[in-house]
């Protein structure tokens, strides 16, 4: 069985942020890429707010939130290193 360690998500809209959020909580190294730098700039902030809601509701811990945020990065391009590794 193969293990996925890294993922690149193209598009920082609602779906891209959601995919990034879930993958980061699962412990994957995530690069969120979007050519729209304004959307990209807001993306991780929105993810942080959403994770904060999960903490407030007791669904995840502060440590899980911090870990998810530490594995999430953003980029205006999708670097080759962001492609999933097997």
């Amino acid at each position: 069985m193969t293990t996925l360690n890294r993922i690149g998500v193209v598009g920082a809209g609602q779906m891209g942020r959601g995919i990034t959020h879930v993958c980061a909580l699962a412990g994957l190294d995530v690069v969120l890429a979007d050519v729209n730098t304004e959307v990209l700039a807001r993306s991780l902030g929105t993810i942080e707010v959403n994770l904060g809601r999960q903490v407030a509701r007791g669904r995840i811990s502060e440590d899980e939130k911090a870990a998810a945020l530490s594995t999430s990065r953003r980029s205006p391009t999708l670097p080759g290193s962001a492609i999933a590794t097997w």
Side-chain angles (χ1 to χ4, degrees), residues 28-73:
L28 297 173
D29 182 26
V30 185
V31 176
L32 177 59
D34 198 305
V35 295
N36 185 329
T37 56
E38 291 176 19
V39 171
L40 193 58
R42 291 189 308 261
S43 63
L44 289 183
T46 301
I47 292 168
E48 184 171 6
V49 168
N50 292 339
L51 288 167
R53 284 188 198 130
Q54 287 185 286
V55 170
R57 293 178 182 157
R59 294 189 177 149
I60 65 171
S61 68
E62 281 288 343
D63 288 343
E64 289 170 308
K65 174 185 171 184
L69 291 172
S70 74
T71 63
S72 303
R73 298 184 314 268

